[in-house]
Amino acid sequence: MLTGAEIFLESLKREGVKTVFGLPGGVVLKIFDVLYSEKELEFILVRHEQAAIHMAEGYARATGRAGVALVTSGPGATNTVTGLVNAWMDSCPIVVITGQVSTSMIGNDAFQEADIVGISRSCTKYNFLVKDVADLARTIKEAFYIATTGRPGPVLVDLPKDVSMAKADFVYPESVYIRGYNPTYKGNRWQIKQAAEAILKAKKPILYIGGGVINSDAADEVRELAELTQVPVTMTLMGLGGFPGTHPLSLGMLGMHGAYATNMAVHNCDLLIAVGSRFDDRVTGKIDAFVPNAKIIHVDIDPTSIRKNIHVDIPIVGDVKHVLKDLNELLRGRGNGDLKDARKPWLDQIDEWKREHPLAYKSSDKMIKPQQVIEKVSELTLGKAIVATDVGQHQMWTAQFYKFLQPRTFLNSGGLGTMGYGFPAAIGAQKAFPDQLVVAIVGDGSFQMNLQELSTAAAYKLPVKVVILNNRHHGMVRQWQQSFYGGRYSASRLDHSPDFVKLAEAYGLKGLRASRPDEVEPVLREAFEDRQPVIVDMIVDPYENCYPMVPAGAAINEMILGDPSPEQPQPSRESDKESALPA
Amino acid sequence: MEHIISLMVENKFGVLSRVAGLFSGRGFNIDSLSVAPTVDPSVSMMTIVTHGDDRIIEQITKQLNKVIDVIKVVDLTEHRHVDRETALVKVHTRAEDRAEALRISDIFRARVIDSSPTTYTIEVTGDTEKVEAMINLLRPLGLKELVRTGRIAIGREEFRAGVQQEKRKIEQAT
Ligand SMILES: Cc1ncc(C[n+]2csc(CCOP(=O)(O)OP(=O)(O)O)c2C)c(N)n1
């Protein structure tokens, strides 16, 4: 007979878990007591439970395996909620175990009791309250099964204190069967045939890929499809890395901050092949004006994604990898040479759009432009680093200017837009790949939402490189206020941030700063060559804006391409004097 | 348009809130909902009456299918089915109205299940139209209390074969 705590940890090992992120507390002490002498599982002690969840997410997204977090009841559990919603929105497989007060106390408003099963119901793929130690092993098995199959997502297991103390025989189930849960993997043959015909017939097709391509490990299949049929590929924020950013057929990211040519190509296409993407409003802009002349093929493992936001002509429910394999089989040998010629006018048109308005920025020899930093990071890492971002302008610039080559190299909060995600996610990925270069590109605002994890990076010697695009603002908020609220900068200025170099030093880490454009490269080189965590404080132009931009509610071909011309009222830069460079 | 959706669900705690939470969280309407265990004690049947355009109903059935504790979803509106509800109506009855109350209840083959010197409690079962017709006739007498079960529904026998379909097949068809 084993105790619940032992059964729980044995079960994790059976699932191949090596790393657990979290923080202890009263009701999970029994588990931590067993962990004390545990050799095969490494526990990473965080400084805030929200970060533990983001670490588990970063770990999961970088590896494709479930990330695991363990926290206590009450406040420990409620601190996980942002991370759970984030993982839910971005279909990220994590298993979160929360301690709970003893079963006899549940419902009595006991000390540190929170109804986390109720609270997390709408932001988990499934959640469990384990009431009987005899159910524990099976529950863990089911939790991992649900989190990692079908459309992946977060699963929460609430484990009462008495259950972790009670004893039972340990029998780990070989397999699970859940009668209400049967994800569809194989696509319908007939629909796939229809899709193949439509692709061959189309004159102006676009492949629009999302996070589903990453989750189903289908980058190779996407590439084959694109090359076979000469279809240009655009990616959502979550899809970046699903197709090499340097490929001649790559159009980069589409949507609110998509490149001009990309959004024009999407707007004017006659066939949109949506693969593992979900027509998010940040992608489509005004939905009624989205792809007005196109037929739509939509491949997704989640039937609810199909026709949720937009009418689809050829829906295919299935796993992206399976479906594309079948589709490519039908298309192989069907006129690659002819297609090249047939597609030429379309690809030429796109090239013309690219020439008209390339993704660009005005460089300066006085101030560091944030885009310049991203370009340098991309250049120095050869697109081989794992890059995490927070949320805001720096995130969009990373999406625009970093050339992602491989799936699972871009960690980012797409659906929820969670500031504070990037740094802990990078730590999680670094834990999974200790020898790889992991760079967190963060904003000075977002970073301060989880910078307590500098301790964690230091404690476990996880050499994450944090590159702060320090613009002394909530830059994205400031940009909107400049564009749509007459430059009334309400609560978007960030004064009194710490001196990030000194902060790094206070944590026993290395801090570097660049304030002039010519310092960017040497400072980044120095950071990337170091084997410890480094914070790089990049003092960038505080008024740089992220373009193109599709205003909320506009169609995606109605982009603002740059700052308004000088006749129009400009925000006063004088007011920025006090927030100039830190000494 | 109104739809009657029949759900076979796991008979576990929390399932009702998963289903109800789905409707509230996504802004779908519930006109009525009823749930009870079936012959198989591990399974409950839920009948949900809802309304919305085709796109919304499609989303509702798909979202319900996605709930892990939901075993089968059938939109009965698309098939031949029968549906019933029961209402318990407590009417005020002055002496001169008592005969009238009984007459109305007779017309609808309803039954008086409780009475006091000033009230009758009448039980009526039928489709919604019938139940509402009776309530409307009783209304002038003065309704003291009204409790309705919400509708339950079942496919007609020819359709039983269809009900046996795997949840997946229904998912694909929608
Ligand atoms: C937790 C959270 N709170 C608020 C927001 C709203 N928000 C979106 S971007 C942004 C500014 C981010 O500033 P910073 O991290 O400095 O990045 P920048 O835009 O300057 O690059 C804010 C406040 C959010 N996305 N997440």
Side-chain angles (χ1 to χ4, degrees):
Chain A
M1 300 262 267
L2 298 182
T3 62
E6 288 164 335
I7 291 175
F8 164 60
L9 293 175
E10 281 307 312
S11 302
L12 291 188
K13 286 195 263 176
R14 295 296 175 94
E15 290 298 324
V17 175
K18 301 264 182 297
T19 308
V20 178
F21 303 93
L23 200 148
V27 299
V28 283
L29 282 177
K30 181 76 191 164
I31 299 171
F32 280 85
D33 188 57
V34 180
L35 261 177
Y36 187 72
S37 45
E38 175 56 61
K39 300 251 154 23
E40 286 168 54
L41 286 172
E42 188 180 6
F43 186 78
I44 303 291
L45 173 63
V46 302
R47 297 298 182 269
H48 188 297
E49 289 89 349
Q50 181 192 351
I53 308 302
H54 295 325
M55 286 179 203
E57 289 182 87
Y59 183 98
R61 194 165 304 284
T63 60
R65 298 195 306 271
V68 181
L70 167 64
V71 303
T72 191
S73 66
T78 55
N79 273 347
T80 67
V81 172
T82 301
L84 289 170
V85 183
N86 193 77
W88 171 244
M89 296 284 272
D90 286 347
S91 309
C92 186
I94 57 171
V95 175
V96 176
I97 299 91
T98 51
Q100 182 56 279
V101 301
S102 287
T103 45
S104 59
M105 312 272 275
I106 291 178
N108 294 352
D109 299 325
F111 177 64
Q112 295 197 327
E113 177 182 359
D115 173 18
I116 194 64
V117 168
I119 291 169
S120 66
R121 194 168 285 129
S122 64
C123 60
T124 48
K125 188 169 167 186
Y126 198 68
N127 59 18
F128 299 86
L129 169 64
V130 185
K131 286 181 165 167
D132 183 343
V133 66
D135 297 334
L136 181 54
R138 186 177 42 80
T139 302
I140 299 297
K141 178 89 191 169
E142 289 185 357
F144 277 85
Y145 173 64
I146 292 171
T148 53
T149 53
R151 180 178 179 174
V155 175
L156 181 138
V157 180
D158 202 19
L159 188 53
K161 183 178 169 203
D162 55 330
V163 177
S164 71
M165 320 264 278
K167 287 190 169 180
D169 288 323
F170 177 59
V171 189
Y172 203 64
E174 297 267 295
S175 62
V176 274
Y177 168 69
I178 302 168
R179 56 184 163 179
Y181 178 66
N182 301 292
T184 306
Y185 292 99
K186 271 289 195 194
N188 178 297
R189 295 288 311 176
W190 194 78
Q191 295 288 85
I192 293 173
K193 226 171 130 209
Q194 298 292 103
E197 295 308 321
I199 293 170
L200 292 170
K201 262 212 283 248
K203 298 221 156 41
K204 301 189 285 179
I206 291 285
L207 194 51
Y208 144 55
I209 67 169
V213 166
I214 315 280
N215 273 335
S216 107
D217 285 320
D220 291 344
E221 286 74 14
V222 166
R223 185 173 182 154
E224 186 182 359
L225 174 63
E227 287 175 353
L228 268 179
T229 57
Q230 290 296 304
V231 180
V233 183
T234 180
M235 288 159 266
T236 68
L237 188 63
M238 298 307 295
L240 287 169
F243 188 73
T246 48
H247 194 287
L249 287 168
S250 170
L251 296 179
M253 184 177 70
L254 81 164
M256 186 171 266
H257 291 288
Y260 174 78
T262 312
N263 284 350
M264 291 303 281
V266 172
H267 186 77
N268 288 289
C269 73
D270 66 354
L271 177 71
L272 188 70
I273 311 157
V275 178
S277 48
R278 60 183 178 89
F279 297 87
D280 180 81
D281 53 274
R282 284 295 190 264
V283 159
T284 64
K286 185 176 173 194
I287 192 90
D288 305 326
F290 188 64
V291 293
N293 306 313
K295 241 186 155 165
I296 300 179
I297 300 171
H298 191 178
V299 183
D300 204 290
I301 195 159
D302 180 355
T304 69
S305 287
I306 295 177
R307 295 211 191 106
K308 180 169 62 185
N309 297 336
I310 199 163
H311 177 79
V312 170
D313 301 282
I314 307 176
I316 305 173
V317 175
D319 176 59
V320 166
K321 193 179 183 84
H322 280 87
V323 172
L324 292 193
K325 271 202 161 110
D326 290 348
L327 181 61
N328 288 341
E329 200 163 296
L330 291 179
L331 289 166
R332 233 169 267 144
R334 297 265 317 252
N336 192 4
D338 300 352
L339 274 178
K340 265 212 162 107
D341 296 339
R343 296 281 192 254
K344 195 165 179 308
W346 177 225
L347 296 177
D348 285 349
Q349 167 70 68
I350 293 174
D351 281 340
E352 202 177 309
W353 281 320
K354 282 185 186 167
R355 276 193 302 277
E356 262 173 50
H357 296 289
L359 248 191
Y361 63 94
K362 276 203 206 71
S363 48
S364 148
D365 51 10
K366 294 197 185 61
M367 261 188 292
I368 300 175
K369 293 289 179 170
Q371 300 96 323
Q372 173 200 351
V373 178
I374 309 290
E375 276 185 339
K376 255 302 159 242
V377 174
S378 188
E379 194 187 305
L380 294 178
T381 60
L382 305 166
K384 283 183 184 149
I386 295 177
V387 175
T389 73
D390 273 316
V391 174
Q393 290 179 314
H394 63 280
Q395 175 191 33
M396 291 299 120
W397 282 317
T398 306
Q400 291 178 333
F401 289 94
Y402 191 96
K403 297 279 180 240
F404 291 96
L405 302 179
Q406 297 282 338
R408 303 199 177 283
T409 56
F410 189 29
L411 319 174
N412 125 61
S413 170
L416 193 63
T418 311
M419 289 169 68
Y421 166 88
F423 177 44
I427 294 178
Q430 186 80 77
K431 184 64 214 155
F433 297 103
D435 299 324
Q436 195 155 344
L437 180 58
V438 179
V439 184
I441 297 172
V442 301
D444 48 323
S446 299
F447 183 48
Q448 293 188 64
M449 290 206 182
N450 266 324
L451 57 67
Q452 76 284 349
E453 300 309 318
L454 285 167
S455 291
T456 310
Y460 297 93
K461 301 197 167 41
L462 296 167
V464 171
K465 313 296 180 247
V466 181
V467 177
I468 308 174
L469 295 189
N470 187 347
N471 56 11
R472 282 82 73 214
H473 283 88
H474 282 142
M476 189 58 95
V477 174
R478 188 204 52 72
Q479 176 172 348
W480 282 57
Q481 289 172 335
Q482 180 183 346
S483 305
F484 310 116
Y485 293 89
R488 292 154 57 82
Y489 295 145
S490 180
S492 55
R493 199 136 105 224
L494 281 171
D495 296 322
H496 302 288
S497 290
D499 177 328
F500 289 108
V501 172
K502 284 192 185 147
L503 184 78
E505 286 160 4
Y507 280 97
L509 303 174
K510 185 178 207 169
L512 298 171
R513 175 172 296 125
S515 319
R516 289 199 322 267
D518 60 339
E519 291 169 344
V520 170
E521 179 165 346
V523 162
L524 285 178
R525 278 189 190 280
E526 185 180 347
F528 294 167
E529 276 157 18
D530 212 302
R531 280 301 301 156
Q532 57 170 330
V534 183
I535 296 184
V536 183
D537 189 17
M538 291 280 179
I539 309 299
V540 300
D541 183 351
Y543 285 104
E544 187 67 17
N545 287 332
C546 183
Y547 294 115
M549 175 178 193
V550 178
I556 62 162
N557 63 334
E558 299 167 353
M559 289 162 272
I560 306 175
L561 293 169
D563 282 331
S565 49
E567 309 77 86
Q568 280 169 279
Q570 281 282 317
S572 152
R573 291 197 171 209
E574 285 305 296
S575 65
D576 191 46
K577 269 195 181 136
E578 321 93 272
S579 79
L581 317 186
Chain B
M1 191 188 132
E2 183 189 274
H3 282 249
I4 302 180
I5 296 173
S6 174
L7 300 184
M8 183 188 277
V9 300
E10 297 288 351
N11 184 12
K12 287 193 201 160
F13 71 91
V15 176
L16 179 60
S17 50
R18 285 183 204 279
V19 171
L22 180 103
F23 276 76
S24 62
R26 295 191 179 266
F28 303 142
N29 301 293
I30 297 183
D31 298 332
S32 76
L33 183 154
S34 89
V35 56
T38 63
V39 271
D40 174 353
S42 74
V43 165
S44 291
M45 288 301 293
M46 245 186 233
T47 307
I48 298 179
V49 181
T50 180
H51 63 270
D53 60 26
D54 288 353
R55 197 179 61 86
I56 290 176
I57 298 297
E58 179 179 331
Q59 265 301 307
I60 291 176
T61 44
K62 284 175 168 180
Q63 291 287 355
L64 286 169
N65 257 315
K66 191 170 155 179
V67 176
I68 289 175
D69 287 329
V70 171
I71 303 163
K72 269 179 208 164
V73 180
V74 180
D75 183 354
L76 285 172
T77 318
E78 292 170 1
H79 307 279
R80 282 160 43 78
H81 66 276
V82 280
D83 64 275
R84 289 291 178 269
E85 74 171 305
T86 293
L88 303 180
V89 195
K90 196 180 278 177
V91 280
H92 289 291
T93 47
R94 283 158 305 199
E96 63 270 31
D97 290 337
R98 284 179 88 86
E100 172 68 358
L102 288 179
R103 206 162 38 241
I104 293 169
S105 132
D106 261 358
I107 298 171
F108 291 95
R109 273 183 271 158
R111 293 190 305 146
V112 174
I113 55 170
D114 189 31
S115 75
S116 75
T118 55
T119 60
Y120 278 141
T121 299
I122 301 171
E123 175 201 320
V124 61
T125 295
D127 58 27
T128 299
E129 223 168 275
K130 168 178 161 182
V131 170
E132 287 185 347
M134 190 190 88
I135 293 168
N136 285 335
L137 283 181
L138 289 171
R139 199 179 298 275
L141 305 185
L143 298 185
K144 186 155 190 249
E145 251 181 85
L146 172 64
V147 180
R148 295 166 72 165
T149 56
R151 265 179 284 172
I152 54 170
I154 199 164
R156 286 195 186 271
E157 183 48 29
E158 307 88 79
F159 164 67
R160 291 308 294 176
V163 174
Q164 304 302 335
Q165 282 176 329
E166 280 296 308
K167 182 182 161 189
R168 287 227 333 253
K169 291 196 187 132
I170 294 165
E171 216 165 61
Q172 277 175 348
T174 51

